[in-house]
């Protein structure tokens, strides 16, 4: 892990959980690079809080102009918009929500955690991004974890074939955010790939500038494709295939089909 990434995670741990770790001095250029990571991962508010807590005089001198203003507000996400790509599993997901809402022993905290899991799966598969989802999960568990019915949650995850994907997300909290396994009852064993997958997300999504299209019709009528994007999406799908096979395959095929449909527009 390089100095930029070390400082990135120190700021996140400080901003999200008030952990105090000294920042290493960085140049103006390296702070700009860290800013790219912040922007892509949508963790502006946590990093701002971490800077306010940890930054020293040298840090403020080297920060790019407008760094705090640009990254001050974190984008809001709505749990109501969470969907699964697999139609069958998505219908089951929404039935779980409706059944639990109308149950005698409704447990809202368990539903919230399930929605965080599902939302993070979507961003992992579509964009390779998971840091904000991990922060949301970690903060929720440390704040409301004692209200979560983990037996119910495990049952739902099993029905959605997302048990191992949830375990991967929990393993990532352990790997880079210093969580203990006893805070994560849904983690039966740590996924050894968690650390490398988190780092890959941070490194690659921040430097990725490829155009977001799969197929495009040229002026002559021929269809061309962005082979770089196709290869990248395929590699990402293969990385997550062992953790959520049905959802991963459905997500890739849905994106592929959507790209073909855009040719007609």
């Amino acid at each position: 892990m390089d100095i930029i990434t070390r400082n990135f995670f120190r700021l996140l741990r400080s901003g999200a959980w008030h952990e105090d770790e000294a920042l290493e001095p960085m140049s103006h250029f390296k702070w700009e690079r860290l800013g790219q990571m912040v922007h892509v991962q949508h963790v502006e508010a946590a990093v701002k809080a971490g800077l306010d807590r940890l930054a020293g005089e040298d840090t403020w001198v080297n920060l790019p102009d407008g760094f705090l203003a640009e990254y001050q507000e974190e984008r809001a996400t709505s749990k109501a918009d969470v969907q699964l790509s697999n139609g069958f599993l998505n219908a089951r997901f929404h039935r779980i929500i409706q059944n639990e809402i109308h149950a005698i022993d409704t447990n809202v905290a368990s539903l919230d955690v399930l929605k965080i899991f599902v939302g993070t799966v979507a961003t992992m598969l579509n964009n390779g991004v998971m840091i904000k989802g991990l922060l949301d999960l970690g903060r929720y568990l440390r704040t409301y974890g004692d209200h979560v019915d983990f037996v119910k949650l495990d049952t739902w995850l099993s029905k959605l074939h997302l048990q191992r994907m949830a375990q991967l997300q929990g393993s990532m909290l352990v790997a880079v955010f210093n969580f203990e396994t006893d805070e994560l009852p849904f983690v039966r064993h740590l996924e050894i790939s968690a650390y490398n997958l988190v780092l890959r997300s941070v490194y690659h999504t921040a430097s990725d500038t490829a155009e977001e299209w799969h197929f495009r019709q040229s002026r002559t009528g021929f269809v061309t494709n962005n082979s770089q994007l196709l290869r990248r999406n395929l590699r990402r799908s293969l990385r997550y295939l062992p953790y959520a096979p049905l959802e991963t395959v459905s997500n890739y095929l849905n994106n592929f089909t959507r790209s073909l449909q855009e040719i007609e527009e």
Side-chain angles (χ1 to χ4, degrees):
M1 188 183 295
D2 60 33
I3 183 174
I4 302 172
T5 311
R6 288 197 299 272
N7 277 343
F8 176 66
F9 283 117
R10 284 168 181 160
L11 287 169
L12 290 176
R13 288 191 290 265
S14 175
W17 297 292
H18 311 297
E19 296 182 11
D20 292 332
E21 302 176 69
L23 296 176
E24 297 176 69
M26 295 198 302
S27 66
H28 180 93
F29 171 80
K30 288 181 178 179
W31 275 108
E32 286 185 332
R33 176 65 173 158
L34 189 148
Q36 289 179 317
M37 294 178 178
V38 172
H39 181 67
V40 170
Q41 299 287 342
H42 308 319
V43 289
E44 292 89 340
V47 167
K48 179 183 181 299
L51 274 173
D52 290 342
R53 186 178 180 87
L54 296 181
E57 194 171 311
D58 292 341
T59 302
W60 296 109
V61 170
N62 288 327
L63 279 175
D65 292 338
F67 183 88
L68 288 178
E70 184 175 356
Y71 302 123
Q72 185 170 356
E73 295 300 328
E74 198 168 286
R75 293 182 180 88
T77 55
S78 172
K79 296 186 183 75
D81 298 331
V82 174
Q83 302 283 337
L84 287 167
S85 294
N86 183 280
F88 175 76
L89 295 181
N90 191 54
R92 181 176 287 181
F93 170 56
H94 287 284
R95 281 199 302 273
I96 288 171
I97 294 173
Q98 290 304 312
N99 290 341
E100 184 63 17
I101 289 174
H102 296 99
I104 297 175
D105 58 341
T106 301
N107 190 289
V108 176
S110 301
L111 284 179
D112 285 343
V113 173
L114 179 66
K115 291 173 185 177
I116 294 172
F117 279 137
V118 172
T120 305
V121 168
T123 58
M124 290 168 74
L125 295 179
N126 288 307
N127 310 110
V129 174
M130 77 276 291
I131 301 299
K132 185 180 185 304
L134 295 179
L135 290 182
D136 289 344
L137 177 62
R139 282 186 288 219
Y140 197 94
L141 290 175
R142 284 192 169 173
T143 305
Y144 304 108
D146 56 337
H147 300 302
V148 177
D149 184 334
F150 287 101
V151 175
K152 274 189 177 181
L153 181 62
D154 189 65
T155 300
W156 298 338
L157 290 170
S158 178
K159 289 181 178 179
L160 298 173
H161 301 278
L162 293 177
Q163 281 178 304
R164 195 173 175 201
M165 182 62 91
Q167 180 167 265
L168 176 64
Q169 292 179 31
S171 298
M172 289 173 171
L173 286 175
V174 174
V176 295
F177 290 122
N178 300 334
F179 271 66
E180 300 293 335
T181 53
D182 59 7
E183 299 179 84
L184 310 164
F186 51 89
V187 176
R188 291 176 173 80
H189 68 268
L190 294 175
E191 298 287 353
I192 60 174
S193 61
Y195 180 79
N196 288 335
L197 286 172
V198 173
L199 292 191
R200 188 179 188 91
S201 168
V202 172
Y203 292 149
H204 287 257
T205 54
S207 61
D208 181 19
T209 57
E211 291 183 90
E212 291 300 312
W213 54 273
H214 291 75
F215 295 93
R216 177 172 293 173
Q217 195 163 12
S218 67
R219 293 178 181 177
T220 60
F222 291 102
V223 175
T224 59
N225 73 294
N226 184 341
S227 57
Q228 182 179 356
L229 181 61
L230 279 173
R231 288 195 300 270
R232 187 173 68 249
N233 287 348
L234 179 59
R235 287 195 299 268
R236 183 190 305 134
S237 296
L238 291 174
R239 283 195 295 273
Y240 293 115
L241 188 63
Y243 305 100
L246 287 176
E247 179 62 12
T248 301
V249 171
S250 297
N251 180 270
Y252 183 80
L253 293 178
N254 285 356
N255 287 338
F256 189 85
T257 302
R258 189 179 305 116
S259 299
L260 288 174
Q261 292 171 343
E262 289 173 359
I263 297 173
E264 303 295 329
E265 299 178 359

